[in-house]
Amino acid sequence: LSGGQRQRLFIALALVDQPEIVFFDELTQGLDPSARRIVWELVKRIRDRGTTVVLVTHFTEEAEVLCDRMVVMRDGSVVAQGSPDELVERHGPGIGVSFTDATADAAELRTICGVRSVVISGGRVQLRGERRMLAPIGAYLVETHSARGTSVPTDIHVDEPNLEDAVLELIGWRAA
């Protein structure tokens, strides 16, 4: 059997007695993307039937797709729990906004509601903060550039945090 077929067989065997709860440990480890998606659909159907699924995985994308609630562990201890969205909101790095503006004023940008950090390097502005900062940043850019008679930056990039960002923060991972 292929890896995907083998996993589907394991799922079928686990469900023979129609259990109320089923545990899957690293269910999609080593599967190709199409086999992984097939297994995900099977797990969703099991969950939607009312069976409680406990999924052990290292894949945050899989947890985002399949889990209503999560527990994140580090060194054998629980460091956080909640829905994937709650974990991203509480422990993620915050939304990021970047653009090029050689005349940007860091002190002024820091006063915008929801902005947590401002880094300006070589005319490139990088902001981190809460989602509520997006509209005020847009207004700031329009107002300041209109007052200067210059164009608003056209290279604005918004970086949405994801579950992997939050999990890496929770486990204390730092880039080397």
Side-chain angles (χ1 to χ4, degrees):
L1 297 175
S2 71
Q5 291 170 329
R6 192 170 41 250
Q7 289 303 64
R8 288 191 295 254
L9 175 61
F10 290 146
I11 291 170
L13 292 173
L15 299 174
V16 166
D17 292 326
Q18 297 182 339
E20 292 180 33
I21 185 169
V22 64
F23 290 81
F24 293 128
D25 186 9
E26 299 294 348
L27 187 62
T28 61
Q29 183 78 30
L31 296 183
D32 66 71
S34 62
R36 185 173 63 239
R37 296 290 169 101
I38 290 168
V39 170
W40 286 1
E41 289 306 314
L42 288 171
V43 171
K44 286 179 190 176
R45 279 192 252 146
I46 294 164
R47 182 193 61 202
D48 293 346
R49 278 195 340 220
T51 301
T52 299
V53 176
V54 177
L55 177 67
V56 177
T57 184
H58 287 93
F59 299 124
T60 55
E61 179 188 8
E62 184 166 87
E64 280 181 303
V65 169
L66 297 176
C67 297
D68 300 320
R69 308 251 334 130
M70 291 181 52
V71 172
V72 178
M73 299 183 73
R74 179 181 60 218
D75 299 326
S77 298
V78 173
V79 293
Q81 57 184 317
S83 72
D85 288 341
E86 289 168 345
L87 294 176
V88 171
E89 184 64 32
R90 281 191 305 236
H91 304 286
I95 199 160
V97 177
S98 60
F99 52 89
T100 303
D101 186 347
T103 60
D105 181 343
E108 210 173 323
L109 288 165
R110 282 187 190 93
T111 66
I112 295 174
C113 184
V115 171
R116 291 186 209 147
S117 70
V118 177
V119 175
I120 301 176
S121 177
R124 188 76 184 156
V125 178
Q126 296 179 314
L127 308 171
R128 263 298 154 202
E130 301 166 29
R131 180 171 302 286
R132 65 185 172 137
M133 75 177 185
L134 293 176
I137 288 169
Y140 165 84
L141 290 171
V142 169
E143 289 170 16
T144 56
H145 285 275
S146 292
R148 293 182 202 142
T150 58
S151 297
V152 173
T154 58
D155 64 344
I156 299 171
H157 177 75
V158 177
D159 175 35
E160 293 271 355
N162 60 33
L163 185 59
E164 186 168 300
D165 296 326
V167 169
L168 289 173
E169 187 70 28
L170 285 163
I171 64 171
W173 181 84
R174 297 285 177 249

